[in-house]
Structure formats: C-alpha cells, structure tokens
Amino acid sequence: MSTAAGTGKLYGVGLGPGDPSLMTLRAVEVIAQAQVVAYHSARHGRSIARSIAAGHLRADHIEEPLVYPVTTETTDHPGGYQGAMEEFYEESAARLAAHLDAGRTVAVLAEGDPLFYGSYMHMHKRLADRYEAEVIPGVTSVSAAAARLGTPLVEGEEVLTILPGTLPEEELTARLAATDSAVVMKLGRTFPAVRRAMEGSGRLAEARYVERATMQGERTGVLADTDPDSVPYFAVAVVPSRIGNPGSVPPGPGEVVVVGTGPAGPLWLTPQTRRALADAEVLVGYTTYLDRVPAKPGQVRHGSDNKVESERAEFALDLARRGKRVAVVSGGDPGVFAMATAVLEVAGQPEYKDVPVRVLPGVTAANAAAAAAGAPLGHDYATVSLSDRLKPWEVIAERLRAAAAADLVLALYNPGSRSRTWQVAQAKELLLELRSAETPVVVARDVGGPGQSVRILPLGELEPSEVDMRTILLIGSSQTRVTERPDGSRVTWTPRRYP
C-alpha cells in the first residue's frame, strides 16, 4: 500500500476467472464500499469485468467505463498501436484521478488478478505514487484452467513457465522446449503460431486447450484437435505436469540422442538439450556429466567411467533397440572429442542400423574459455587433443607443428591428467620453436564452474605442472593481442584481419 497527497483511495479488484462465485470476500467488500466502479471494455461497450461483478453493483455507484480505442494493432494513430494505448491509459488515469482528488473511493475491476497480464496495472503505475492504493488479488485464468482440466500443473521440483502467445514463434518454441510445464495466454489470432511452437518443441501431444474457464461457453480439449478458427482471445494452452502422467510423452520408437551439457552446469544447457533430457526415459553417461543434469522422477540413470565410451555407446543403442528413449550425456559439445563419434561409430554396425541417432550441440570448452578471456579465437584456429590414449604422440606433434607453422591459434584439449604429465611440456617446447615466448596463452580451468580460473600469460611462462584434465589451453597466433581494460582486467583477442 502507498500513501500520497490525494484524499481518495484506489483499489485494483481481482474478480477471478469469470464465475462470480469465485470472487473473493474482500473483492465483494471493496466493491460494496466503493463510490466509483471503473472497468475496461471494448468499443461495443460490453465489459467482461462488469458482467462478473454485476450482482454487486448498485444504482448509486458512479460507473466509469474505460473503453479501449483499438482492440488490434491496426490504427491510424500517429504513434501507432503503442502510442494509441499510451494516450488511452493517460486519459483513463486522469479520469480516475479526478474522482480521487474529489475524495471518492475508486474500485477498478479486473478479470483474474489485477497484476497478472491485467489492464489495471497501467492505472496502478500512473496513480499509486500519488494516492493511497490497495490491490485485491484474484484467482487467475491459469489456476482456473488447471482446475477445469483436473490435471496438476507442477509438482515437486518442476518449473512452470507462463508465456504470452504474442511472443515470436521461435521464442515460444525455445521456451516451451526448455520448461517442464507451461501455460500460453492470449490465444485467438496467435493460436496457429502457438500450435506450431508446441509441435516444434515436441510438446503438442501433451498440450491441452481451455476456453473461457468457469464462464458460460467453457470448452476444454486436446490442443492438437482444436479448430484454429474457433479460438477466442480468452483461451489458454496448457502443458501440464508430467509426474504421474505416463501418457504425457507419446510412445514411439526407441532412439538415442547425444547431448552436450556445455562446460559446466544447467546455465549452459540449450532449450533443445533440456527438452531431450526431459523426454528421455534413460540417461547414460560419464558420472561427472550425469551429475550436471537435474533429476527427473521416473528416469533411470546409468553412470560409468570416462574411459568406456564404446561400451557406453553400445549399452545406449541396445536400450534404444528395445524401444527406450535414451539420452547419452556428454560434456561440452558431443561432437568435439566426446561421445557423438563413439555412438555413431557403434551405430554403424549392422545390428544397430535401424536405431535412430540424433546429435544435439553444446557449448564446447574452447568457446567457453575464449569468451571468458576475450576473443582469442577471432580468426582461424585449430583444435587438437593432447591425449595420446587414442592416437600416438608422433601424430599429435606433427599436427602441432603444422598448425604452428600456419600461424593458427591453437585450442588444446585434454592437456594433462594424473597418468599423462609430460605432454604439455613437450607441446610447449615444440611450439616455442615456431612461436615467440611472448605469445599470449589462455589457461582456463573449470570454466563456468565454481572453481573457474582464467589466466592470460606468455607462452614462455606456461607452467606445465599447473595444467590438468579440467584445463584447456588457447595458444595465440603471431597476431593475437592482449589489452588491459580500464578496470585493470586483461583481455586477449585475435584480429579478424590478417596482414
């Protein structure tokens, strides 16, 4: 509540989703004591808010219908749709302010909750700093829709996302893919795009439709079966909780999806990856990477050591061949020194030729480290793994010489481990034959994680003993620069132009 100079009091009164019996006792009480009752309406003069509260209006109430100048974005107003609406809200607020200045109590009626996609908020923002104001919450259409469907929206650790259907279709698709449960508001003319977004995000089969919940003309059903031409503005699309709802993910053939989790935790997951992980019945992966994925009820996890890639791939493909939806979890990007190759190699065997395999990208360590240090990969670069577990050191050395001779920036993966302690020293010695000792080197460890450390130092000062498996090295070219910023930090970057 706020107080100010005016003598009247402003109320934003939530009326609930439509059924007058769902109005709160406080809402009824405020309407009864108000002298002025305001409500929004379209040009035809009918107001849903007024119709909900009609049984509580008296002949001595001063009614203030706030009639929208436009109901679509088509207008000849010089400021366009936004300009027309801003002018309307200013004029409406001035009309209410006149009553408040006269000492009258003003109740602005709002369907649902006043501060949930409601028009009252535009009055509140313009008046609450000048007059005493109170907001009476109401039951939202989201709650009403869930109640009418008789389906839980969220349970346990699930996340509910509420979206306006007016968002761009690609944005809707991404957000639907990334969440557990969702409600999309403001359908009507947006319905075709919302339906496509549901389909593109893999949520269409579980999506439900609710129209005019608790009101006359209420309709519920399966979203995919809904006629787009029949959908009004006062309708919502609902993707309900999956917990205890085995039909939420439609049955289908087994498949393997290889996903990249990025260099660290959930902040690095893409919406597409989140959807694949949520849809999977079984997760398979190196235990460290599996621990980055939030647990889902009903999912089975199979963790293993990081040196059994082929066995892990075969296990995942066997599960998929038996009809399971399997996600093989990889760190970084699955196609960069990771699990995608291992899975596709095994999938090429005759017994797995009919098993669908998809690969979803992730943020790889080189890109994450480069961003943390500036832009050292701004020009041509080569990516080399220093691990000699799957290829001889002679091959690695030959590739390092070739890349260094070509003056490419180098991203060195798998530089060292407990069992591999000499490779970094050998690589440094080799590179110093072809690169200046002042060449900038990024030593990035645990990028994105709690122990993140990113240092920029000259190649000649690189200390091999400080490098382990959680470290990636970025070796600059002859053109790579280091710049000190005004705050004292240092960034490194490689020019896009080459002399």
Side-chain angles (χ1 to χ4, degrees):
M1 181 183 295
S2 60
T3 58
T7 56
K9 183 171 180 178
L10 174 69
Y11 289 95
V13 184
L15 303 176
D19 183 345
S21 67
L22 293 176
M23 292 172 58
T24 65
L25 293 174
R26 179 62 176 153
V28 173
E29 179 182 82
V30 167
I31 293 171
Q33 71 184 46
Q35 296 163 288
V36 179
V37 175
Y39 45 81
H40 291 83
S41 76
R43 281 178 168 176
H44 51 55
R46 296 186 297 275
S47 166
I48 294 176
R50 189 190 187 286
S51 68
I52 297 171
H56 304 283
L57 300 183
R58 304 185 310 269
D60 63 338
H61 270 134
I62 301 171
E63 295 192 26
E64 279 285 1
L66 308 175
V67 182
Y68 290 113
V70 290
T71 53
T72 69
E73 295 189 7
T74 302
T75 176
D76 57 2
H77 190 281
Y81 174 80
Q82 195 62 40
M85 294 306 293
E86 285 295 319
E87 184 176 290
F88 163 66
Y89 291 134
E90 290 293 339
E91 291 175 350
S92 297
R95 287 167 60 189
L96 300 185
H99 289 293
L100 294 165
D101 288 337
R104 301 185 186 105
T105 301
V106 178
V108 181
L109 307 182
E111 306 100 299
D113 181 272
L115 298 181
F116 182 78
Y117 290 121
S119 293
Y120 166 73
M121 66 182 67
H122 297 287
M123 300 299 97
H124 193 83
K125 288 187 291 186
R126 288 167 171 80
L127 298 172
D129 62 334
R130 296 153 49 198
Y131 305 94
E132 186 177 1
E134 181 180 340
V135 177
I136 314 302
V139 178
T140 68
S141 58
V142 172
S143 299
R148 287 312 199 206
L149 289 172
T151 304
L153 274 178
V154 276
E155 183 177 334
E157 303 302 317
E158 287 184 312
V159 173
L160 171 66
T161 300
I162 298 174
L163 302 163
T166 50
L167 283 176
E169 185 177 328
E170 284 191 351
E171 182 72 14
L172 277 172
T173 303
R175 290 181 180 269
L176 287 167
T179 193
D180 299 312
S181 303
V183 175
V184 184
M185 317 276 295
K186 306 180 182 181
L187 296 186
R189 61 188 174 84
T190 72
F191 183 80
V194 171
R195 190 189 188 284
R196 290 193 298 270
M198 288 285 184
E199 188 168 19
S201 62
R203 314 307 298 272
L204 183 60
E206 55 192 303
R208 299 294 177 264
Y209 173 82
V210 183
E211 175 184 319
R212 297 187 174 92
T214 79
M215 301 169 68
Q216 186 176 3
E218 176 186 297
R219 179 169 59 131
T220 63
V222 176
L223 187 81
D225 297 338
T226 303
D227 177 9
D229 294 332
S230 70
V231 177
Y233 180 82
F234 288 99
V236 297
V238 180
V239 179
S241 170
R242 284 186 165 183
I243 299 177
N245 185 11
S248 60
V249 180
E255 71 165 349
V256 172
V257 184
V258 192
V259 301
T261 61
L267 283 174
W268 298 86
L269 294 176
T270 67
Q272 190 180 34
T273 296
R274 287 182 183 275
R275 182 78 270 122
L277 291 171
D279 288 344
E281 298 171 280
V282 184
L283 302 184
V284 176
Y286 174 36
T287 303
T288 298
Y289 299 147
L290 282 182
D291 290 344
R292 295 176 180 173
V293 181
K296 297 283 185 182
Q299 275 185 339
V300 178
R301 295 181 173 219
H302 294 280
S304 54
D305 185 76
N306 68 336
K307 294 185 176 66
V308 292
E309 290 95 340
S310 295
E311 293 88 340
R312 187 184 302 143
E314 187 172 346
F315 178 69
L317 288 160
D318 278 330
L319 289 171
R321 190 168 55 172
R322 297 200 295 269
K324 295 293 184 181
R325 295 185 301 275
V326 184
V328 175
V329 179
S330 179
D333 181 283
V336 181
F337 303 122
M339 280 302 300
T341 300
V343 171
L344 291 172
E345 184 177 5
V346 178
Q349 299 175 11
E351 58 266 41
Y352 301 119
K353 65 181 177 63
D354 294 328
V355 177
V357 177
R358 291 188 291 138
V359 179
L360 301 182
V363 178
T364 188
N367 297 130
L377 304 183
H379 204 284
D380 301 338
Y381 67 95
T383 302
V384 179
S385 171
L386 294 191
S387 173
D388 59 352
R389 189 168 68 85
L390 299 175
K391 65 180 184 287
W393 176 255
E394 291 74 19
V395 172
I396 298 172
E398 181 181 354
R399 291 175 179 177
L400 287 175
R401 287 192 185 94
D407 201 20
L408 297 174
V409 176
L410 281 163
L412 302 183
Y413 279 71
N414 307 316
S417 68
R418 291 178 183 176
S419 61
R420 295 189 299 104
T421 58
W422 54 270
Q423 281 87 347
V424 175
Q426 288 275 0
K428 174 184 175 182
E429 182 179 330
L430 184 155
L431 291 172
L432 282 172
E433 296 174 7
L434 296 160
R435 295 274 165 95
S436 163
E438 299 304 313
T439 301
V441 175
V442 176
V443 182
R445 188 179 188 279
D446 192 29
V447 176
Q452 174 173 310
S453 170
V454 179
R455 295 182 296 141
I456 303 169
L457 47 82
L459 176 59
E461 295 180 16
L462 175 63
E463 180 51 61
S465 63
E466 297 178 359
V467 177
D468 60 14
M469 274 296 287
R470 300 181 70 185
T471 303
I472 186 168
L473 301 175
L474 306 180
I475 315 294
S477 72
S478 65
Q479 303 302 305
T480 303
R481 304 287 183 260
V482 177
T483 304
E484 188 159 320
R485 307 294 296 164
D487 61 1
S489 63
R490 299 167 76 236
V491 296
T492 182
W493 51 282
T494 303
R496 292 177 299 162
R497 293 179 179 83
Y498 200 86

